[in-house]
Amino acid sequence: KEYLCDDQYDNSLKAMSINLPTESLLAELLPAGTVNAESIYLIQNSVKKEIATALQDELMQVFLKHSQANDNDTDAGIRSIKNKCLEYLMISARASLGIFNPKTLFYSEIETETLMRNPHAKKVMALVLEQFKNADNMTDTLAALIVLASIECPQREQSFVAFYERFKDDPLVKLKWLTLQARSNSPKVIDRIKDITSRNDVFQLTNPNQVYSLVRGFANNWIQFHRPDGKGYEFVADFVLELDSINPQVASRVVGTITDWKKYTPERGNLMKAQLKRLSAVKLSDDVYEKVSKALDVNKL
Protein backbone atom coordinates (compact mmCIF):
# COMPACT_ATOMS: atom_id res chain seq x y z
CA LYS A 1 0.00 0.00 0.00
CA GLU A 2 2.77 2.40 0.95
CA TYR A 3 4.69 1.58 -2.24
CA LEU A 4 1.71 2.34 -4.48
CA CYS A 5 1.21 5.78 -2.96
CA ASP A 6 4.88 6.75 -2.52
CA ASP A 7 5.92 9.33 -5.11
CA GLN A 8 9.61 8.47 -4.86
CA TYR A 9 9.07 5.25 -6.83
CA ASP A 10 8.79 5.05 -10.61
CA ASN A 11 5.18 5.02 -11.80
CA SER A 12 5.82 2.57 -14.62
CA LEU A 13 7.33 0.08 -12.15
CA LYS A 14 4.35 0.51 -9.85
CA ALA A 15 2.01 -0.36 -12.71
CA MET A 16 4.12 -3.39 -13.60
CA SER A 17 4.09 -4.58 -10.00
CA ILE A 18 0.30 -5.05 -10.04
CA ASN A 19 0.08 -6.25 -13.63
CA LEU A 20 -0.56 -10.00 -13.55
CA PRO A 21 0.63 -12.37 -16.28
CA THR A 22 -2.00 -13.24 -18.87
CA GLU A 23 -3.79 -16.57 -18.88
CA SER A 24 -2.00 -17.50 -22.10
CA LEU A 25 1.39 -16.88 -20.53
CA LEU A 26 0.48 -18.98 -17.51
CA ALA A 27 -0.68 -21.76 -19.82
CA GLU A 28 2.67 -21.76 -21.62
CA LEU A 29 4.39 -22.59 -18.34
CA LEU A 30 2.39 -25.80 -17.88
CA PRO A 31 3.14 -29.23 -19.39
CA ALA A 32 1.11 -30.45 -22.37
CA GLY A 33 -2.23 -31.96 -21.40
CA THR A 34 -2.41 -30.16 -18.05
CA VAL A 35 -3.75 -26.72 -18.98
CA ASN A 36 -7.09 -26.32 -17.21
CA ALA A 37 -8.57 -23.20 -18.80
CA GLU A 38 -11.24 -22.80 -16.15
CA SER A 39 -8.87 -23.09 -13.19
CA ILE A 40 -6.41 -20.59 -14.66
CA TYR A 41 -9.21 -18.10 -15.21
CA LEU A 42 -10.71 -18.52 -11.75
CA ILE A 43 -7.36 -18.22 -10.01
CA GLN A 44 -6.35 -15.12 -11.92
CA ASN A 45 -9.82 -13.62 -11.45
CA SER A 46 -9.59 -14.27 -7.70
CA VAL A 47 -6.13 -12.71 -7.36
CA LYS A 48 -7.20 -9.60 -9.27
CA LYS A 49 -10.26 -9.28 -7.06
CA GLU A 50 -8.14 -9.59 -3.91
CA ILE A 51 -5.76 -6.89 -5.11
CA ALA A 52 -8.62 -4.62 -6.16
CA THR A 53 -10.50 -4.90 -2.87
CA ALA A 54 -7.45 -4.78 -0.58
CA LEU A 55 -6.05 -1.69 -2.30
CA GLN A 56 -9.34 -0.01 -3.18
CA ASP A 57 -8.68 3.21 -1.25
CA GLU A 58 -5.09 3.48 -2.44
CA LEU A 59 -6.08 2.79 -6.05
CA MET A 60 -8.65 5.56 -5.87
CA GLN A 61 -6.16 7.93 -4.28
CA VAL A 62 -3.49 7.35 -6.92
CA PHE A 63 -5.96 7.50 -9.79
CA LEU A 64 -7.47 10.80 -8.66
CA LYS A 65 -4.06 12.35 -8.04
CA HIS A 66 -2.75 11.49 -11.49
CA SER A 67 -6.02 12.30 -13.24
CA GLN A 68 -5.54 15.87 -12.13
CA ALA A 69 -1.85 16.04 -13.10
CA ASN A 70 -0.94 18.53 -15.79
CA ASP A 71 1.72 16.34 -17.39
CA ASN A 72 -0.45 13.35 -18.29
CA ASP A 73 0.16 13.86 -21.97
CA THR A 74 3.94 13.62 -21.72
CA ASP A 75 4.54 11.23 -18.83
CA ALA A 76 3.96 7.64 -19.92
CA GLY A 77 4.56 6.43 -16.37
CA ILE A 78 1.71 8.52 -15.01
CA ARG A 79 -0.65 7.27 -17.70
CA SER A 80 0.46 3.70 -17.01
CA ILE A 81 -0.21 3.69 -13.27
CA LYS A 82 -3.36 5.80 -13.62
CA ASN A 83 -4.92 3.44 -16.13
CA LYS A 84 -3.87 0.34 -14.22
CA CYS A 85 -5.58 1.81 -11.14
CA LEU A 86 -8.70 2.46 -13.22
CA GLU A 87 -8.71 -1.16 -14.37
CA TYR A 88 -8.53 -2.42 -10.79
CA LEU A 89 -11.15 0.05 -9.62
CA MET A 90 -13.60 -1.43 -12.11
CA ILE A 91 -12.71 -4.91 -10.84
CA SER A 92 -13.53 -3.77 -7.30
CA ALA A 93 -16.76 -2.20 -8.58
CA ARG A 94 -17.81 -5.46 -10.24
CA ALA A 95 -16.96 -7.30 -7.02
CA SER A 96 -19.15 -4.93 -5.02
CA LEU A 97 -22.03 -5.57 -7.42
CA GLY A 98 -21.75 -9.36 -7.03
CA ILE A 99 -22.44 -10.03 -10.70
CA PHE A 100 -19.98 -12.89 -11.27
CA ASN A 101 -21.61 -16.27 -11.86
CA PRO A 102 -19.13 -19.04 -10.89
CA LYS A 103 -21.23 -21.66 -12.70
CA THR A 104 -21.12 -19.99 -16.12
CA LEU A 105 -17.85 -18.10 -15.41
CA PHE A 106 -19.46 -14.98 -16.88
CA TYR A 107 -20.41 -11.60 -15.45
CA SER A 108 -24.13 -10.87 -15.54
CA GLU A 109 -25.57 -7.88 -17.34
CA ILE A 110 -26.23 -4.96 -15.04
CA GLU A 111 -28.94 -2.34 -15.40
CA THR A 112 -28.13 1.35 -14.94
CA GLU A 113 -30.49 1.61 -11.96
CA THR A 114 -28.69 -1.18 -10.12
CA LEU A 115 -25.32 0.34 -10.93
CA MET A 116 -26.37 3.74 -9.66
CA ARG A 117 -27.60 2.31 -6.33
CA ASN A 118 -24.08 1.08 -5.51
CA PRO A 119 -22.02 4.10 -4.35
CA HIS A 120 -18.61 2.66 -5.21
CA ALA A 121 -19.66 1.27 -8.59
CA LYS A 122 -21.43 4.54 -9.40
CA LYS A 123 -18.30 6.56 -8.62
CA VAL A 124 -16.03 4.27 -10.63
CA MET A 125 -18.34 4.32 -13.63
CA ALA A 126 -18.45 8.11 -13.50
CA LEU A 127 -14.63 8.27 -13.48
CA VAL A 128 -14.37 5.85 -16.39
CA LEU A 129 -16.91 7.74 -18.48
CA GLU A 130 -15.29 11.06 -17.63
CA GLN A 131 -11.91 9.81 -18.81
CA PHE A 132 -13.41 8.33 -21.97
CA LYS A 133 -15.19 11.57 -22.80
CA ASN A 134 -12.44 14.04 -21.92
CA ALA A 135 -9.19 12.19 -22.70
CA ASP A 136 -7.01 14.09 -25.17
CA ASN A 137 -4.76 11.14 -26.02
CA MET A 138 -5.46 7.70 -27.46
CA THR A 139 -3.80 5.86 -24.56
CA ASP A 140 -6.29 7.18 -22.01
CA THR A 141 -9.25 6.86 -24.37
CA LEU A 142 -8.49 3.20 -25.10
CA ALA A 143 -7.80 2.48 -21.42
CA ALA A 144 -11.27 3.73 -20.51
CA LEU A 145 -12.84 1.73 -23.34
CA ILE A 146 -11.01 -1.43 -22.23
CA VAL A 147 -12.43 -0.98 -18.74
CA LEU A 148 -15.91 -0.42 -20.12
CA ALA A 149 -15.61 -3.58 -22.20
CA SER A 150 -15.39 -5.58 -18.97
CA ILE A 151 -18.90 -4.77 -17.76
CA GLU A 152 -22.15 -5.40 -19.65
CA CYS A 153 -24.26 -2.29 -19.15
CA PRO A 154 -25.85 0.43 -21.31
CA GLN A 155 -22.87 2.75 -20.81
CA ARG A 156 -20.61 0.19 -22.43
CA GLU A 157 -22.61 0.01 -25.63
CA GLN A 158 -23.00 3.77 -25.84
CA SER A 159 -19.26 4.29 -25.46
CA PHE A 160 -18.34 1.73 -28.11
CA VAL A 161 -20.76 3.33 -30.55
CA ALA A 162 -19.35 6.79 -29.80
CA PHE A 163 -15.76 5.58 -30.28
CA TYR A 164 -16.61 3.93 -33.60
CA GLU A 165 -18.38 7.00 -34.94
CA ARG A 166 -15.45 9.18 -33.94
CA PHE A 167 -12.70 7.01 -35.45
CA LYS A 168 -14.41 4.91 -38.14
CA ASP A 169 -12.40 6.60 -40.90
CA ASP A 170 -9.07 5.77 -39.25
CA PRO A 171 -8.18 2.19 -40.32
CA LEU A 172 -5.64 1.58 -37.55
CA VAL A 173 -7.89 2.81 -34.75
CA LYS A 174 -10.76 0.82 -36.19
CA LEU A 175 -8.64 -2.33 -35.80
CA LYS A 176 -8.26 -1.54 -32.10
CA TRP A 177 -12.04 -1.15 -31.82
CA LEU A 178 -12.54 -4.58 -33.41
CA THR A 179 -10.04 -6.18 -31.03
CA LEU A 180 -11.67 -4.63 -27.96
CA GLN A 181 -15.10 -5.81 -29.08
CA ALA A 182 -13.76 -9.34 -29.45
CA ARG A 183 -11.98 -9.32 -26.08
CA SER A 184 -15.00 -8.39 -24.00
CA ASN A 185 -15.76 -11.00 -21.34
CA SER A 186 -19.48 -10.48 -21.82
CA PRO A 187 -21.49 -13.65 -22.60
CA LYS A 188 -22.86 -11.65 -25.55
CA VAL A 189 -19.47 -11.37 -27.23
CA ILE A 190 -19.97 -14.09 -29.87
CA ASP A 191 -23.34 -12.68 -30.93
CA ARG A 192 -21.78 -9.22 -30.98
CA ILE A 193 -18.93 -10.40 -33.23
CA LYS A 194 -21.39 -12.10 -35.57
CA ASP A 195 -23.34 -8.86 -35.80
CA ILE A 196 -20.15 -6.95 -36.63
CA THR A 197 -19.13 -9.40 -39.36
CA SER A 198 -22.57 -9.15 -40.94
CA ARG A 199 -22.22 -5.39 -41.46
CA ASN A 200 -20.32 -4.55 -44.63
CA ASP A 201 -19.89 -0.95 -43.55
CA VAL A 202 -18.03 -2.08 -40.42
CA PHE A 203 -16.18 -5.27 -41.36
CA GLN A 204 -14.82 -6.79 -44.57
CA LEU A 205 -13.95 -10.48 -44.63
CA THR A 206 -11.52 -9.71 -47.47
CA ASN A 207 -9.46 -7.45 -45.19
CA PRO A 208 -6.83 -9.64 -43.45
CA ASN A 209 -6.01 -7.06 -40.78
CA GLN A 210 -9.65 -6.79 -39.77
CA VAL A 211 -9.93 -10.58 -39.65
CA TYR A 212 -6.84 -10.89 -37.46
CA SER A 213 -7.94 -8.10 -35.13
CA LEU A 214 -11.35 -9.66 -34.61
CA VAL A 215 -10.61 -13.39 -34.53
CA ARG A 216 -7.24 -13.28 -32.84
CA GLY A 217 -8.69 -10.80 -30.38
CA PHE A 218 -11.38 -13.36 -29.61
CA ALA A 219 -8.83 -16.18 -29.32
CA ASN A 220 -7.04 -14.09 -26.68
CA ASN A 221 -10.34 -13.63 -24.84
CA TRP A 222 -9.52 -16.49 -22.50
CA ILE A 223 -12.80 -17.44 -20.88
CA GLN A 224 -14.99 -16.71 -23.91
CA PHE A 225 -12.73 -18.59 -26.30
CA HIS A 226 -12.52 -21.47 -23.83
CA ARG A 227 -16.22 -21.42 -22.96
CA PRO A 228 -17.34 -24.59 -21.12
CA ASP A 229 -19.92 -25.28 -23.84
CA GLY A 230 -17.32 -25.20 -26.63
CA LYS A 231 -19.11 -22.39 -28.48
CA GLY A 232 -15.88 -20.41 -28.71
CA TYR A 233 -14.11 -23.14 -30.68
CA GLU A 234 -17.21 -23.70 -32.79
CA PHE A 235 -17.32 -20.01 -33.67
CA VAL A 236 -13.69 -20.09 -34.86
CA ALA A 237 -14.29 -23.23 -36.93
CA ASP A 238 -17.37 -21.66 -38.55
CA PHE A 239 -15.31 -18.57 -39.32
CA VAL A 240 -12.58 -20.69 -40.93
CA LEU A 241 -15.14 -22.41 -43.17
CA GLU A 242 -16.51 -19.07 -44.34
CA LEU A 243 -13.09 -17.53 -44.85
CA ASP A 244 -11.37 -20.49 -46.54
CA SER A 245 -12.92 -19.92 -49.96
CA ILE A 246 -12.00 -16.21 -49.85
CA ASN A 247 -8.47 -16.23 -48.45
CA PRO A 248 -7.01 -19.67 -47.63
CA GLN A 249 -3.76 -18.22 -46.28
CA VAL A 250 -5.55 -16.08 -43.72
CA ALA A 251 -7.93 -18.95 -42.91
CA SER A 252 -4.94 -21.21 -42.20
CA ARG A 253 -3.61 -18.71 -39.70
CA VAL A 254 -6.99 -18.39 -38.03
CA VAL A 255 -7.40 -22.17 -37.70
CA GLY A 256 -4.10 -22.20 -35.86
CA THR A 257 -5.93 -20.88 -32.80
CA ILE A 258 -7.61 -24.30 -32.32
CA THR A 259 -4.84 -26.69 -33.39
CA ASP A 260 -3.06 -26.81 -30.02
CA TRP A 261 -5.82 -28.84 -28.34
CA LYS A 262 -3.29 -31.29 -26.87
CA LYS A 263 -2.10 -28.59 -24.43
CA TYR A 264 -5.42 -28.70 -22.58
CA THR A 265 -7.10 -31.09 -20.19
CA PRO A 266 -9.70 -33.37 -21.83
CA GLU A 267 -12.78 -31.29 -21.04
CA ARG A 268 -11.49 -28.46 -23.29
CA GLY A 269 -9.08 -30.41 -25.51
CA ASN A 270 -11.79 -32.77 -26.72
CA LEU A 271 -14.10 -29.88 -27.58
CA MET A 272 -11.35 -28.25 -29.62
CA LYS A 273 -10.47 -31.54 -31.28
CA ALA A 274 -14.12 -32.08 -32.25
CA GLN A 275 -14.06 -28.84 -34.25
CA LEU A 276 -10.88 -29.92 -36.02
CA LYS A 277 -12.53 -33.22 -36.96
CA ARG A 278 -15.57 -31.32 -38.21
CA LEU A 279 -13.31 -29.25 -40.43
CA SER A 280 -11.47 -32.32 -41.69
CA ALA A 281 -14.76 -33.83 -42.87
CA VAL A 282 -15.34 -31.14 -45.51
CA LYS A 283 -13.45 -29.91 -48.55
CA LEU A 284 -10.74 -27.51 -47.42
CA SER A 285 -8.08 -25.49 -49.18
CA ASP A 286 -4.61 -27.01 -49.15
CA ASP A 287 -3.43 -24.37 -46.63
CA VAL A 288 -6.11 -25.12 -44.08
CA TYR A 289 -6.13 -28.86 -44.70
CA GLU A 290 -2.41 -29.06 -44.02
CA LYS A 291 -2.77 -27.48 -40.57
CA VAL A 292 -5.89 -29.42 -39.63
CA SER A 293 -4.55 -32.79 -40.76
CA LYS A 294 -1.22 -32.20 -39.08
CA ALA A 295 -2.91 -31.36 -35.79
CA LEU A 296 -4.92 -34.58 -36.00
CA ASP A 297 -2.26 -36.89 -37.45
CA VAL A 298 0.34 -35.89 -34.89
CA ASN A 299 -1.98 -37.25 -32.28
CA LYS A 300 -2.82 -40.37 -34.31
CA LEU A 301 -6.56 -39.94 -34.49
Side-chain angles (χ1 to χ4, degrees):
K1 292 183 178 183
E2 292 79 8
Y3 172 70
L4 187 63
C5 297
D6 196 329
D7 290 334
Q8 70 175 309
Y9 297 112
D10 182 81
N11 286 308
S12 295
L13 292 178
K14 288 182 188 178
M16 290 176 62
S17 71
I18 54 175
N19 187 38
L20 300 185
T22 65
E23 296 98 337
S24 297
L25 179 59
L26 292 173
E28 289 178 7
L29 302 176
L30 297 174
T34 67
V35 176
N36 187 312
E38 185 171 320
S39 294
I40 289 177
Y41 175 75
L42 288 172
I43 291 170
Q44 193 197 60
N45 199 54
S46 177
V47 173
K48 284 185 175 180
K49 179 180 174 182
E50 288 299 317
I51 292 173
T53 52
L55 299 178
Q56 181 174 302
D57 293 340
E58 289 76 16
L59 292 165
M60 183 65 76
Q61 176 185 332
V62 173
F63 175 79
L64 292 175
K65 178 177 66 175
H66 291 314
S67 292
Q68 298 163 2
N70 294 323
D71 53 353
N72 275 359
D73 293 341
T74 58
D75 192 327
I78 285 180
R79 292 197 299 271
S80 181
I81 187 60
K82 178 187 69 174
N83 290 326
K84 183 55 64 174
C85 286
L86 190 63
E87 175 189 336
Y88 273 105
L89 285 170
M90 180 56 81
I91 292 172
S92 69
R94 291 190 313 190
S96 70
L97 289 166
I99 56 176
F100 180 68
N101 187 331
K103 292 184 178 179
T104 64
L105 307 181
F106 303 148
Y107 285 89
S108 304
E109 186 172 357
I110 186 81
E111 296 294 335
T112 299
E113 293 76 12
T114 303
L115 185 68
M116 293 299 104
R117 285 198 296 267
N118 183 301
H120 178 61
K122 179 181 179 180
K123 182 175 183 179
V124 171
M125 180 59 75
L127 292 173
V128 175
L129 292 173
E130 181 181 11
Q131 175 165 312
F132 176 75
K133 180 180 178 180
N134 298 327
D136 56 6
N137 62 84
M138 186 57 69
T139 299
D140 285 349
T141 301
L142 285 173
L145 199 63
I146 289 170
V147 170
L148 285 165
S150 70
I151 185 167
E152 191 65 39
C153 62
Q155 292 88 338
R156 176 210 181 281
E157 189 63 24
Q158 293 161 9
S159 299
F160 268 86
V161 170
F163 184 89
Y164 179 80
E165 289 300 321
R166 181 179 176 186
F167 296 107
K168 63 184 178 182
D169 295 325
D170 186 323
L172 294 180
V173 178
K174 187 176 178 180
L175 295 180
K176 295 181 184 296
W177 180 85
L178 289 170
T179 298
L180 290 184
Q181 288 279 28
R183 297 196 68 171
S184 168
N185 58 15
S186 164
K188 294 182 176 181
V189 66
I190 292 179
D191 289 338
R192 189 170 280 132
I193 293 174
K194 289 179 179 179
D195 178 64
I196 289 172
T197 58
S198 70
R199 296 171 55 190
N200 293 330
D201 59 323
V202 176
F203 178 84
Q204 289 78 43
L205 198 60
T206 54
N207 185 319
N209 288 331
Q210 291 188 3
V211 171
Y212 294 144
S213 293
L214 198 64
V215 182
R216 286 181 175 176
F218 178 71
N220 287 320
N221 183 345
W222 188 262
I223 199 54
Q224 290 296 331
F225 179 60
H226 296 293
R227 289 169 61 115
D229 58 10
K231 294 294 184 181
Y233 311 141
E234 181 182 356
F235 166 74
V236 171
D238 288 344
F239 201 92
V240 169
L241 289 173
E242 183 178 4
L243 181 62
D244 195 26
S245 61
I246 298 172
N247 194 327
Q249 291 78 24
V250 175
S252 70
R253 293 177 183 175
V254 171
V255 79
T257 61
I258 57 172
T259 56
D260 57 353
W261 61 270
K262 56 186 176 293
K263 286 172 41 179
Y264 299 91
T265 49
E267 63 271 11
R268 291 302 196 285
N270 288 336
L271 291 172
M272 198 178 292
K273 181 174 64 177
Q275 294 305 318
L276 289 170
K277 294 182 74 173
R278 180 165 74 93
L279 289 173
S280 70
V282 301
K283 177 65 175 177
L284 299 171
S285 67
D286 291 342
D287 299 273
V288 174
Y289 177 78
E290 180 181 359
K291 283 200 171 182
V292 171
S293 61
K294 182 178 179 180
L296 296 176
D297 289 342
V298 164
N299 298 278
K300 299 178 182 179
L301 295 178

